[in-house]
Amino acid sequence: MMHYPVLSVLIFFPLAAAFLLMVLPLTEDAVRRYTFAVGIAECLLALPLLTGFQLGEAGFQFAEKAVWVPQWDLAYSLAVDGISLLMVILSVALLPLCVLCSWTYVGKRLKEFHICLLLMTTACVGVFTAMDLVLFYIFWEAMLIPMYLLIAVWGGPERRYASIKFFLYTLAGSTLLLAAVVGLFHQGGTFSIPQLMQTDFPMGFQTWVFLFMALAFAIKVPMFPFHTWLPAAHVQAPSAGSVLLASVLLKMGTYGFLRFCLPMCPDASLYFAPMMIALSLASIIYGGLVALGQTDIKKLIAYSSVAHMGFVTLGIFLFNARGAEGAVMVMLNHGIVTGALFMMIGAIYERSHSRELSDHLGMGKYLPAYMGLFGLFAVSSFGFPGLNSFVGEALVLIGAFEAKVSIGMLAIPGAMLAAAYMLRLGIKMAWGRPASPRDKGWSDLNTREWAYLLPLAVLVVYIGLAPGLTLSVISPSTGKMIDDFHARTTVVAETPEHEAPATVAANTLSGAEQ
């Protein structure tokens, strides 16, 4: 068994690098090279996670624990399982890619910008590895400030409005999460997440804790109707900010549902599942419809994220193995594909200084490499077979049909809408006729852009064609989580007149349509 404290190193190495960067008198170019080198070193330090993770093991691995405040049973406790491992890897891998995609995009306050990227990496890894509620909450809150600064300082013309809206929404969610943390400690007597996951709480207590946590996580996902901060934040954020938002921050909400709501509030999760399934389906359809009408490319991708994350929450609240596996797969694949799309939008924005679709028509004629890669990520985004997004969405749909055929049927239009808005975007950008045809003098992808896009393109194809290794990481942990959930749901399940959540949701939605 490996005793190398890899998780602590992954958390504190970028933090130490940020403090060092703060005091080093580096030139602008040296700041970029320094942060990129730190990002590569962080990736190398994460290699033991890949080589040492025991496939087939459902429990927590790479555990680290030190007593923090013994009077409160507060501990510095870290670990990963199949649900969190891939999100940690993704968070780490994005650091050097974000540095590369911001190389020429960001031209002011360069040192502060890269310090924010390093702090974001620390906070993201901390959220996905914390095994103590207080530690989790500290990392959850720590993410708020650097993300706010990324939008407010390096964002677009309406960055002030977008950053304040992001801050207020997420702060409201954090307050609710804090109330749930305090309640869990008061009732459970510990902050230890693994212990609280095995504690049986009364139904009344579960109801309040679930509602507080669900609201906090629904804002972060974001689920319809708590999504309104997302398009503004995505549109105004710099490329790296949009990438971190789409690839990692949104996943913190769905991770919270998986790690806290289902294990700690199983009966309340079952009771509120019809509402969560209905909101998930509303997110899928609403996100797709709004994305279809967008002319701002970045806003289109932002609304598509609302739809994709709807698939994740749908998979979680189906309470079956396929749905849970699919939810985690969509979390990972959405992070890869949508992160890549935001990088590509940032790359073309550096040439056109516009996000309007009408300014980017017919680019396939003079930017073939750019449009080739954009087409790959676009078709993957709507779940084209053989590419990575297909795997997760197919598993969620299988889980939906297993739970209730009508739930699966209601989710299908979401997949069709995704194909419609991404094909419309890709076709217009590749072959559309510009209003004023002229040689814009834009160059195709350069070496730096290839360097940060190619690894993501390889992952899109690899996970799509060979998802077995990824599923072997995810499936044992999601399977155990679902088994434990069904073993511990008692209050609602034993009620004679209880109907399956998917059935209730389907009947409710069917009634609403009549």
Side-chain angles (χ1 to χ4, degrees), residues 46-119:
L47 286 178
L49 285 181
L50 295 176
T51 57
F53 189 82
Q54 299 297 313
L55 297 176
E57 290 288 330
F60 293 110
Q61 302 183 38
F62 299 96
E64 301 172 27
K65 188 169 184 178
V67 175
W68 189 357
V69 183
Q71 293 87 342
W72 297 345
D73 195 22
L74 194 61
Y76 171 81
S77 179
L78 306 172
V80 290
D81 64 356
I83 296 173
S84 56
L85 174 74
L86 296 174
M87 297 314 303
V88 172
I89 299 294
L90 183 63
S91 303
V92 168
L94 283 176
L95 176 57
L97 303 185
C98 284
V99 174
L100 285 176
C101 78
S102 307
W103 203 273
T104 54
Y105 191 101
V106 174
K108 65 176 183 179
R109 298 180 183 273
L110 213 60
K111 182 180 282 191
E112 291 84 352
F113 175 81
H114 287 86
I115 288 172
C116 285
L117 291 184
L118 292 166
L119 294 179

Side-chain angles (χ1 to χ4, degrees), residues 17 20 47 96 148 190 201 240 269 276 307 380 397 430 443 454 461 474:
L20 191 59
L47 286 178
Y148 167 80
T190 179
F201 297 108
S269 297
M276 300 304 295
S380 174
L397 288 174
S443 58
L454 201 55
V461 177
I474 296 170

Side-chain angles (χ1 to χ4, degrees), residues 277 280-281 284 307-331 333 388-405 407-412 415 471 502:
I277 291 173
S280 301
L281 291 169
I284 292 170
H308 285 125
M309 297 312 288
F311 276 101
V312 179
T313 50
L314 176 63
I316 292 171
F317 284 94
L318 293 170
F319 306 133
N320 57 39
R322 297 291 84 77
E325 286 174 357
V328 180
M329 281 294 282
V330 175
M331 286 168 61
N333 292 327
N388 63 337
S389 298
F390 172 77
V391 182
E393 291 192 11
L395 284 169
V396 171
L397 288 174
I398 291 170
F401 278 101
E402 279 182 11
K404 185 73 177 175
V405 173
I407 293 292
M409 294 299 292
L410 287 167
I412 290 291
L471 285 172

Side-chain angles (χ1 to χ4, degrees), residues 36-357:
F36 180 70
V38 170
I40 295 296
E42 177 84 345
C43 292
L44 294 175
L45 290 169
L47 286 178
L49 285 181
L50 295 176
T51 57
F53 189 82
Q54 299 297 313
L55 297 176
E57 290 288 330
F60 293 110
Q61 302 183 38
F62 299 96
E64 301 172 27
K65 188 169 184 178
V67 175
W68 189 357
V69 183
Q71 293 87 342
W72 297 345
D73 195 22
L74 194 61
Y76 171 81
S77 179
L78 306 172
V80 290
D81 64 356
I83 296 173
S84 56
L85 174 74
L86 296 174
M87 297 314 303
V88 172
I89 299 294
L90 183 63
S91 303
V92 168
L94 283 176
L95 176 57
L97 303 185
C98 284
V99 174
L100 285 176
C101 78
S102 307
W103 203 273
T104 54
Y105 191 101
V106 174
K108 65 176 183 179
R109 298 180 183 273
L110 213 60
K111 182 180 282 191
E112 291 84 352
F113 175 81
H114 287 86
I115 288 172
C116 285
L117 291 184
L118 292 166
L119 294 179
M120 281 296 299
T121 304
T122 289
C124 293
V125 174
V127 163
F128 292 118
T129 58
M131 288 292 111
D132 182 280
L133 273 178
V134 173
L135 196 62
F136 172 84
Y137 189 75
I138 289 172
F139 287 125
W140 177 278
E141 286 294 280
M143 169 278 308
L144 189 58
I145 300 300
M147 194 67 233
Y148 167 80
L149 291 174
L150 283 175
I151 301 171
V153 178
W154 295 278
E158 298 177 16
R159 58 184 179 274
R160 183 169 298 179
Y161 165 77
S163 59
I164 290 175
K165 194 170 186 179
F166 162 79
F167 190 87
L168 291 178
Y169 264 77
T170 48
L171 187 64
S174 298
T175 307
L176 294 169
L177 182 60
L178 179 61
V181 168
V182 172
L184 285 165
F185 174 70
H186 182 264
Q187 193 77 12
T190 179
F191 287 113
S192 169
I193 292 173
Q195 287 185 39
L196 289 169
M197 289 168 67
Q198 300 301 320
T199 304
D200 292 322
F201 297 108
M203 180 61 182
F205 177 77
Q206 285 190 35
T207 300
W208 286 108
V209 169
F210 177 88
L211 287 174
F212 282 12
M213 289 197 296
L215 270 171
F217 299 143
I219 290 171
K220 186 74 81 178
V221 170
M223 293 180 77
F224 174 86
F226 309 104
H227 65 282
T228 59
W229 64 268
L230 182 68
H234 264 314
V235 168
Q236 297 304 319
S239 289
S242 295
V243 171
L244 291 172
L245 266 174
S247 300
V248 184
L249 263 68
L250 308 190
K251 314 306 181 296
M252 291 181 182
T254 49
Y255 174 76
F257 281 124
L258 288 164
R259 181 67 78 217
F260 300 104
C261 289
L262 266 62
M264 296 180 192
C265 309
D267 291 324
S269 297
L270 194 61
Y271 181 78
F272 287 107
M275 178 186 74
M276 300 304 295
I277 291 173
L279 288 177
S280 301
L281 291 169
S283 298
I284 292 170
I285 303 299
Y286 172 84
L289 285 173
V290 178
L292 195 56
Q294 296 303 313
T295 58
D296 184 314
I297 303 173
K298 212 172 180 184
K299 196 175 281 187
L300 187 155
I301 304 299
Y303 276 109
S304 77
S305 292
V306 176
H308 285 125
M309 297 312 288
F311 276 101
V312 179
T313 50
L314 176 63
I316 292 171
F317 284 94
L318 293 170
F319 306 133
N320 57 39
R322 297 291 84 77
E325 286 174 357
V328 180
M329 281 294 282
V330 175
M331 286 168 61
L332 173 68
N333 292 327
H334 177 265
I336 295 169
V337 171
T338 308
L341 285 171
F342 277 121
M343 288 179 186
M344 298 213 74
I345 295 167
I348 202 63
Y349 182 81
E350 289 189 64
R351 294 162 171 81
S352 67
H353 303 288
S354 168
R355 296 187 303 269
E356 283 298 316
L357 178 56

